[in-house]
Amino acid sequence: MSQLSGELSPVALLAPRGLDEICATFGDIFGYIAKDHTLHAAWQTEFLARIALPFPLTISWDHSQSVSAITCHKLLGSIFANVFSQIQSSGLQNKITSFGGCFSFRPQRTGTKLSTHAWGIAIDLNPETNQQGTAGDMDPAVIAIFRGAGFKWGGDWMGKTRDAMHFQFCTGY
């Protein structure tokens, strides 16, 4: 069974390394980009899912609003749900002060290649206090939960690409 043909348990999916493995695991998004550089709606229909969260997340750009679900790659739906359930059951939900986004078809902020957000395999949390290029203040227990699920934390990167708000389910990209 291919990874795209059915639901996998969280332990069955390994974080891919590099662009080729990202495309092999999560789909070749480049075949869905139109000549005007927009993403065909078919990508969202075929590859993305909306998952409920166990607790609401305040939207970083409008603190008067919150979300109770996120849009991510369908292969990560159960993994994201499990991560947020672990955060809640560990009494850490107050450590997530805001949601900066998950799926977003856009380039990386520090480059020209596509962001891992374009595949729906990354999430930004607490962006107000975890700006790019800084060490930020992400709670170590939250980081450990994401790492335990296979995510890489952008706070481990160096220099201007350091991104303490960012967790992605891949390496080497």
Side-chain angles (χ1 to χ4, degrees):
M1 173 171 86
S2 83
Q3 290 183 350
L4 295 176
S5 66
E7 188 72 22
L8 296 176
S9 67
V11 295
L13 186 62
L14 297 175
R17 178 162 181 75
L19 180 60
D20 290 343
E21 288 186 18
I22 291 169
C23 288
T25 303
F26 295 113
D28 186 357
I29 197 169
F30 300 100
Y32 292 80
I33 300 174
K35 289 181 182 179
D36 66 356
H37 305 289
T38 59
L39 186 62
H40 289 289
W43 172 264
Q44 294 181 47
T45 302
E46 293 176 33
F47 295 97
L48 301 180
R50 190 138 175 89
I51 61 143
L53 297 168
F55 56 92
L57 300 174
T58 301
I59 298 174
S60 65
W61 58 90
D62 183 354
H63 284 210
S64 70
Q65 301 287 321
S66 64
V67 296
S68 58
I70 61 171
T71 300
C72 65
H73 195 282
K74 67 182 182 179
L75 292 179
L76 292 184
S78 63
I79 294 172
F80 272 119
N82 185 41
V83 163
F84 282 100
S85 290
Q86 284 185 52
I87 288 169
Q88 184 181 45
S89 67
S90 299
L92 297 169
Q93 74 185 60
N94 65 334
K95 301 297 184 182
I96 307 297
T97 58
S98 65
F99 171 69
C102 188
F103 166 71
S104 178
F105 181 70
R106 63 174 178 79
Q108 292 177 333
R109 288 188 308 258
T110 59
T112 57
K113 65 183 180 177
L114 277 182
S115 169
T116 52
H117 289 281
W119 281 271
I121 63 171
I123 191 166
D124 290 340
L125 299 171
N126 305 349
E128 298 87 348
T129 58
N130 291 280
Q131 294 87 7
Q132 191 148 17
T134 71
D137 66 356
M138 191 63 67
D139 187 273
V142 170
I143 297 166
I145 290 171
F146 271 95
R147 283 184 175 146
F151 286 85
K152 299 304 174 198
W153 179 48
D156 289 332
W157 303 333
M158 296 297 169
K160 70 176 186 168
T161 62
R162 189 173 200 177
D163 198 357
M165 73 178 82
H166 184 84
F167 296 92
Q168 66 182 31
F169 198 82
C170 66
T171 64
Y173 179 78

